[in-house]
Amino acid sequence: MRDMKGRIFYAVLSAGLMAFLGVACCRDVVRVVNPRCEMQVNPVGLSAAAPHLSWELISGERGVEQRFYRILVASSEENLDANRGDKWDSGWVRSDESVYIPYGGAPLRSRETCFWKVRVKTGKGCSAWSQPAAWTMGFMDASAWEARWIGLDRCFEGERTEGHTRLAARYFRKEFDAPGEVRRAVLYISGLGLYEAYINGKRIGTQVLAQAPTDYDKSVFYNVFDVTETICPGENALGVVLGNGRYVSPRNPGMRHFGFPKMFLQLELEYADGTCRKVISDDSWRATAAGPIRANNEFDGEEYDARMEMPGWNESGYADEAWLQAETVAAPGGKLTVQTNPMIEIMDTVRPVAIARIAPGVHILDMGQNMVGWLSMRVQGKRGQTVRLRFAETLKPDGSLYMDNLREAEVTDTYTIADEREHLWEPAFTYHGFRYVEITGYPGTPSLSDFEGRVVYDRMATTGSFTTSDTTINRVYRNAYRGIRSNYRGMPTDCPQRDERQGWLGDRTAGALGESYIFDNGLLYAKWLQDIEDTQRGDGALSDVAPNYWPVYNDDVTWPSAYIVIAQMLYERFGNLQPIVKHYDSMKKWLDHVRDNYMVDYIVTRDYYGDWCMPPELPELIHSQDPARKTNGALLSTSTYYYLIGIMARFAGLTGNTDDIAYFEGQAIAIREAYNRKFFNPATGSYSNNTVTANLLSLVYGLVPKGYEEMVFRHIVDKTMVDFDGHVSTGLVGIRHLMQGLTRHGRADIALRLATNRDYPSWGYMVEKGATTIWELWNGDTADPAMNSGNHVMLLGDLIAWCYEDLAGIRNADGAVAFRRIVLKPSPVEGLDFVDASYRSVRGVIGSSWAKTADAFTWKVVIPANASAVVYVPTCDPSSVREGDRPARSAEGVKFLRSEPGYAVFEVGSGAYCFNVARGQ
Ligand code: BGC
């Protein structure tokens, strides 16, 4: 990441130098880069009637603002080259918008490819056209489908769909003739629960564990691939393997079960002479369940018997007489739509760091970090020998695997050897959360070089980098990074290892915001909001788990609040208004459901989870039993409800539901009054039983009566510093706002203390105890294993957002969308010598890197073109601030705005700046 930043700084500087030397024509001053459609690079398979286009500007000049843009969309590359926007020529549009611009041209048709480019005029000159980009439409309506759903809807010997379900992978094949020159071939495929597709033996795409999980009764995804390169003239073969994923319930009963694996495929061949041919899934396909993947279950693992491999099964000419005829089967209930969130891939490789023999024939492999994915293994032995791999996060004192916290997950992969050659193997349809692997049955002595860990998560760029002078914060950040990526599996999950792995809503309410600095997760979370809507019952209730494989309808407020809070995040961070528009009615319906069923005199009386997983009074407890530590449930739900309707009032404005604004505002006034009447004690200036969470939520949600804010805040400070000796006392709900709540009320020092603690309870305590990810419980080392994962992210709360927004100080200005206007306001808190952060926003890279020495405070900032920033330089004396080698007040592009307590505030345009303040000023 530092490298990337280095390159960006260099690019910015070199462009500036060119301008200085006078070699730049006006077009070189600003360049349009990174053109994206629906925030994807050249996506294939869109169904939106008006896809949204975005781009970034880069320039070596300061203060670059887009004034106009012009978009050309053409039906061919030639037309685009000739500047003929036959689909759409937007003309010069006066606008500073560069994210999520809706296509406004001729109607789009299924399958068509559109080529596009954009250029801009800025205050500093105009750009050349961007590099050409493209998008390809999927199917805009159901009539394009001719394929049939096919499968083998029955259990074969040794299979079961009850209990720990056990099914072999299903293999399907079909040969087809492709005479003549194929100009384009596009594959549309849906494979439930999981699939791998092949053409002529070649694996299609780089994805694993495709397709993304949904409530298959409501939504079913299909994926689209351009497969032109794989088609040969003459005979060809299609092969598809189906795994169980979440379609076949890993636990039945215990988790929703949808049915037997099934697939739906349409391959469209477009010939040079303009004719088209389709190959579709139907009962002419051959199928078998007698392939090498004998069993696959996401919780229990995969069994692979290489003796049953079928060489050439996915190529033409394979003798498939022993195979069965595929059957047309009932379609899943859900609507078929194209998957828009990124697919899962192998994103990283981890080499094991140690291997130990703990008993004859039993070895323990240490990956050096808790990770999610699987092991690839090199093995050579005799036919029929079976190697068994079992996975766990921690070890028992005797060096064997600690399995208790995995509950009933069997987490075991087996590989049975076919012949004496050396083989490299990895599973296809399972994944594990693990640091340690127990290896048994391995022929000979396994060594480190025989294994590699495959880290899998949704293909998304790492957008943030963050380091400080404090090693504890750096370690915690690193653990958070690993934990977050561990829990992306086409949905944000709670954990990756035990027999759960569900999209619990509560875990991501605040976390999603922090995560979005580190990962480009906008499309994943937009997908998840649909999963949430898909859980909605007719009465408006939402499940606490989405997709609701566990249909948990507790009518809690704090868990489903993720629905509204994350929609806000997607809009503010990425500029994506669509989720708000799409889900507004459903959000309102849920709020109405809560009001109609649980609101009594403006107090929401229902709460199910409490301030989940606060540090308990005894080390072995999961949940505190101490009434003094627990926050009143009605306080949690009422304050959260109040917060949500504030957001909804804004959404109502954004979506044109202006009639609702007065309703939400009226509700807010009534709830605030009732809330304070019930929970606020004006004599003490505290809420309810004076927990940190009770006072904090009241404060940050703006519920505290005017004039009492300081008193309430003082209770938060006293509780934390005195009763909890400078330690966290909140659970999942309080931690959502703790670090920023403290910092923004002037106590960054306490936040820093919480972030750097190494004793219990703290994130640093987890590090101290050897954690390489984040635990589910503050006391994860001592608590009951029944609910004690080593790889949860919910307790991060607002920690990551605090790192970027408060320590580095990179924030979206109030009301700004997608960093069009940035606030840079760092907290150079005592105890930190430097913070170095960068975040690649949808407009480009924002950088904040400050360092303190005894003599000076130096701060380098980067603001992307077409953004501007209000910059808070931490000094009381504006005249002491220099930018580069000049007083800041007279530096190019820098305007002094005002002094504020502790800060001199300037306004700057885009560009790279270096502010200096002599210390002691
Ligand atoms: C999950 C949590 C979740 C909680 C809610 C746990 O089992 O792992 O992360 O939020 O249940 O009850």
Side-chain angles (χ1 to χ4, degrees):
M1 215 48 211
R2 267 172 174 262
D3 273 9
M4 188 184 103
K5 271 172 56 185
R7 282 202 300 276
I8 287 153
F9 260 104
Y10 179 75
V12 167
L13 290 178
S14 60
L17 187 66
M18 277 168 63
F20 172 75
L21 295 173
V23 292
C25 71
C26 128
R27 287 178 174 195
D28 292 328
V29 173
V30 186
R31 285 200 297 133
V32 185
V33 296
N34 201 10
R36 283 148 297 161
C37 177
E38 292 294 317
M39 283 299 167
Q40 301 168 60
V41 177
N42 300 334
V44 178
L46 295 183
S47 55
H52 292 84
L53 306 176
S54 309
W55 56 88
E56 290 172 22
L57 304 184
I58 52 172
S59 173
E61 296 274 317
R62 287 183 173 178
V64 173
E65 299 266 347
Q66 177 184 302
R67 304 250 165 96
F68 295 86
Y69 66 76
R70 182 172 171 205
I71 297 170
L72 287 187
V73 181
S75 58
S76 68
E77 278 173 291
E78 297 72 46
N79 279 351
L80 192 71
D81 279 352
N83 293 337
R84 273 195 300 275
D86 58 328
K87 294 292 299 184
W88 186 35
D89 179 347
S90 71
W92 283 108
V93 179
R94 178 186 287 276
S95 168
D96 63 359
E97 294 293 344
S98 53
V99 292
Y100 279 100
I101 311 293
Y103 168 79
L108 297 168
R109 294 182 315 270
S110 292
R111 305 177 180 89
E112 78 175 309
T113 298
C114 295
F115 302 88
W116 70 285
K117 59 187 179 181
V118 55
R119 65 186 296 201
V120 301
K121 288 180 186 170
T122 72
K124 302 277 173 169
C126 58
S127 75
W129 288 107
S130 66
Q131 286 297 315
W135 81 81
T136 301
M137 299 306 292
F139 292 158
M140 315 247 332
D141 62 73
S143 66
W145 290 114
E146 292 175 27
R148 299 270 172 279
W149 283 93
I150 59 172
L152 291 171
D153 271 8
R154 73 195 106 127
C155 282
F156 295 86
E157 201 190 329
E159 296 190 336
R160 56 177 180 265
T161 53
E162 287 89 38
H164 289 214
T165 58
R166 185 192 153 84
L167 290 185
R170 270 70 173 133
Y171 295 74
F172 298 84
R173 68 183 310 275
K174 165 87 184 168
E175 294 193 9
F176 63 95
D177 190 25
E181 192 195 328
V182 171
R183 192 167 56 194
R184 188 162 77 144
V186 181
L187 178 72
Y188 304 84
I189 179 169
S190 182
L192 302 177
L194 304 173
Y195 72 85
E196 282 182 358
Y198 299 82
I199 295 179
N200 298 326
K202 187 176 179 305
R203 175 94 172 262
I204 302 305
T206 47
Q207 71 285 355
V208 296
L209 301 176
Q211 55 203 56
T214 51
D215 173 348
Y216 305 104
D217 287 344
K218 299 273 177 65
S219 310
V220 175
F221 286 145
Y222 67 92
N223 300 135
V224 186
F225 303 93
D226 187 321
V227 293
T228 314
E229 299 302 315
T230 64
I231 307 292
C232 344
E235 274 305 302
N236 287 265
L238 272 160
V240 177
V241 197
L242 295 185
N244 301 325
R246 302 288 171 107
Y247 194 76
V248 178
S249 169
R251 294 291 181 269
N252 185 24
M255 211 167 140
R256 279 177 71 198
H257 177 66
F258 295 90
F260 286 94
K262 53 186 63 172
M263 61 168 277
F264 187 76
L265 175 151
Q266 191 154 313
L267 171 67
E268 299 196 348
L269 305 169
E270 221 180 277
Y271 287 93
D273 65 5
T275 55
C276 279
R277 206 191 137 207
K278 296 189 183 100
V279 183
I280 56 166
S281 52
D282 59 18
D283 57 12
S284 70
W285 284 55
R286 306 287 286 169
T288 185
I293 301 179
R294 303 309 311 138
N296 65 96
N297 181 304
E298 290 200 357
F299 297 165
D300 297 333
E302 182 163 312
E303 293 171 31
Y304 189 93
D305 188 341
R307 294 171 302 181
M308 299 187 73
E309 281 174 356
M310 306 170 291
W313 72 273
N314 47 17
E315 292 169 72
S316 59
Y318 176 76
D320 58 15
E321 293 77 25
W323 286 39
L324 305 165
Q325 214 55 46
E327 292 153 16
T328 50
V329 295
K335 188 169 172 244
L336 203 56
T337 54
V338 71
Q339 177 176 334
T340 49
N341 58 302
M343 296 208 262
I344 300 174
E345 281 194 7
I346 294 173
M347 298 294 283
D348 201 358
T349 294
V350 173
R351 289 181 210 293
V353 296
I355 189 162
R357 179 178 171 277
I358 58 160
V362 185
H363 287 81
I364 298 288
L365 192 69
D366 179 0
M367 304 308 293
Q369 60 176 264
N370 209 4
M371 57 164 278
V372 171
W374 51 76
L375 209 58
S376 94
M377 168 176 75
R378 188 195 317 277
V379 64
Q380 189 165 18
K382 292 206 175 56
R383 182 174 172 84
Q385 284 181 322
T386 296
V387 186
R388 197 172 84 128
L389 307 172
R390 220 155 56 110
F391 300 82
E393 295 186 302
T394 46
L395 297 179
K396 291 197 233 173
D398 68 0
S400 63
L401 297 185
Y402 178 79
M403 306 295 289
D404 296 0
N405 69 332
L406 307 184
R407 300 182 186 153
E408 299 289 311
E410 289 169 18
V411 292
T412 305
D413 294 347
T414 63
Y415 176 82
T416 302
I417 296 169
D419 56 45
E420 293 187 0
R421 285 175 300 159
E422 182 180 277
H423 292 279
L424 201 60
W425 175 77
E426 56 194 84
F429 298 129
T430 194
Y431 72 99
H432 310 286
F434 65 102
R435 171 169 173 172
Y436 300 98
V437 190
E438 177 197 79
I439 305 161
T440 47
Y442 191 89
T445 309
S447 68
L448 288 182
S449 60
D450 294 322
F451 303 95
E452 266 180 3
R454 303 274 185 248
V455 175
V456 306
Y457 61 96
D458 304 30
R459 177 179 50 213
M460 49 176 82
T462 298
T463 46
S465 73
F466 180 83
T467 34
T468 72
S469 53
D470 184 89
T471 50
T472 301
I473 297 183
N474 294 345
R475 287 285 297 276
V476 169
Y477 181 89
R478 186 88 206 130
N479 288 2
Y481 169 83
R482 288 200 198 101
I484 293 164
R485 71 181 193 171
S486 293
N487 279 298
Y488 285 154
R489 196 238 166 281
M491 57 180 168
T493 58
D494 60 337
C495 61
Q497 72 297 77
R498 67 184 178 217
D499 53 359
E500 181 160 1
R501 313 185 195 187
Q502 304 285 346
W504 280 98
L505 270 54
D507 298 32
R508 300 306 177 109
T509 309
L513 174 75
E515 291 165 25
S516 71
Y517 280 107
I518 306 182
F519 293 103
D520 184 11
N521 60 14
L523 297 174
L524 170 69
Y525 275 109
K527 177 264 181 187
W528 199 42
L529 296 191
Q530 183 59 47
D531 292 336
I532 296 176
E533 175 158 348
D534 281 350
T535 74
Q536 190 157 41
R537 287 193 320 216
D539 65 357
L542 294 172
S543 170
D544 299 326
V545 173
N548 65 352
Y549 304 129
W550 280 7
V552 180
Y553 289 85
N554 279 327
D555 279 345
D556 186 76
V557 175
T558 52
W559 258 240
S561 67
Y563 195 18
I564 293 172
V565 173
I566 292 176
Q568 173 175 255
M569 181 280 273
L570 293 173
Y571 178 57
E572 289 183 348
R573 308 303 303 283
F574 298 97
N576 188 1
L577 182 63
Q578 296 170 84
I580 298 177
V581 174
K582 193 168 170 198
H583 304 297
Y584 179 85
D585 290 344
S586 147
M587 290 168 176
K588 185 158 178 258
K589 186 171 174 183
W590 169 64
L591 288 171
D592 289 352
H593 168 79
V594 174
R595 179 200 61 204
D596 295 347
N597 290 281
Y598 303 105
M599 200 182 269
V600 179
D601 296 335
Y602 296 102
I603 296 296
V604 182
T605 53
R606 173 80 179 166
D607 174 72
Y608 189 78
Y609 300 106
D611 193 9
W612 189 252
C613 299
M614 76 194 69
E617 53 284 8
L618 295 172
E620 63 278 11
L621 288 181
I622 291 175
H623 296 298
S624 170
Q625 306 300 326
D626 175 3
R629 288 173 181 247
K630 291 162 80 167
T631 302
N632 180 297
L635 180 147
L636 298 176
S637 47
T638 309
S639 60
T640 305
Y641 195 90
Y642 173 83
Y643 173 52
L644 297 178
I645 56 174
I647 300 175
M648 283 299 281
R650 182 174 174 216
F651 286 2
L654 288 168
T655 54
N657 289 292
T658 38
D659 289 353
D660 291 345
I661 298 176
Y663 162 72
F664 286 125
E665 288 176 351
Q667 282 278 103
I669 292 169
I671 292 172
R672 190 166 184 263
E673 269 172 31
Y675 180 87
N676 283 321
R677 220 177 304 123
K678 184 162 178 69
F679 298 114
F680 186 54
N681 180 345
T684 58
S686 66
Y687 279 82
S688 188
N689 60 344
N690 194 28
T691 61
V692 166
T693 296
N695 291 318
L696 182 65
L697 297 188
S698 309
L699 190 66
V700 298
Y701 292 158
L703 283 151
V704 177
K706 267 223 146 346
Y708 284 94
E709 290 92 343
E710 263 183 44
M711 265 171 106
V712 173
F713 185 64
R714 209 172 316 128
H715 288 295
I716 297 170
V717 170
D718 290 349
K719 262 274 159 186
T720 305
M721 297 310 290
V722 181
D723 295 13
F724 288 87
D725 189 25
H727 289 79
V728 61
S729 64
T730 71
L732 171 52
V733 181
I735 202 82
R736 290 172 179 173
H737 303 286
L738 185 61
M739 302 297 281
Q740 297 193 309
L742 285 166
T743 304
R744 296 195 185 180
H745 286 86
R747 295 306 301 266
D749 59 322
I750 301 179
L752 184 70
R753 164 125 192 224
L754 301 184
T756 54
N757 277 336
R758 301 282 289 212
D759 56 348
Y760 177 79
S762 65
W763 301 286
Y765 175 73
M766 301 174 192
V767 171
E768 198 64 35
K769 293 287 172 182
T772 55
T773 42
I774 304 292
W775 293 344
E776 178 172 23
L777 304 174
W778 294 112
N779 52 334
D781 56 333
T782 55
D784 190 320
M787 198 194 83
N788 194 348
S789 120
N791 203 352
H792 254 59
V793 290
M794 64 186 191
L795 287 186
L796 286 171
D798 66 351
L799 178 75
I800 302 297
W802 175 75
C803 288
Y804 282 89
E805 295 185 344
D806 295 79
L807 289 187
I810 299 171
R811 299 178 204 172
N812 222 350
D814 276 351
V817 176
F819 299 90
R820 174 70 184 83
R821 192 158 170 81
I822 300 163
V823 167
L824 289 167
K825 188 176 186 185
S827 308
V829 53
E830 208 46 57
L832 280 186
D833 297 332
F834 73 84
V835 169
D836 182 7
S838 80
Y839 164 58
R840 186 175 184 123
S841 73
V842 289
R843 281 175 210 282
V845 173
I846 305 171
S848 168
S849 177
W850 59 259
K852 280 185 302 192
T853 61
D855 317 320
F857 175 83
T858 312
W859 186 22
K860 291 181 186 155
V861 304
V862 178
I863 294 129
N866 204 28
S868 61
V870 179
V871 176
Y872 287 72
V873 182
T875 176
C876 297
D877 176 9
S879 63
S880 69
V881 183
R882 298 179 71 79
E883 193 284 306
D885 54 7
R886 298 159 167 239
R889 280 167 182 270
S890 60
E892 185 208 339
V894 181
K895 185 173 151 210
F896 175 68
L897 291 181
R898 59 185 181 271
S899 283
E900 277 190 16
Y903 290 98
V905 187
F906 298 86
E907 173 153 37
V908 299
S910 65
Y913 300 81
C914 183
F915 293 97
N916 289 285
V917 186
R919 282 193 90 189
Q921 304 283 326

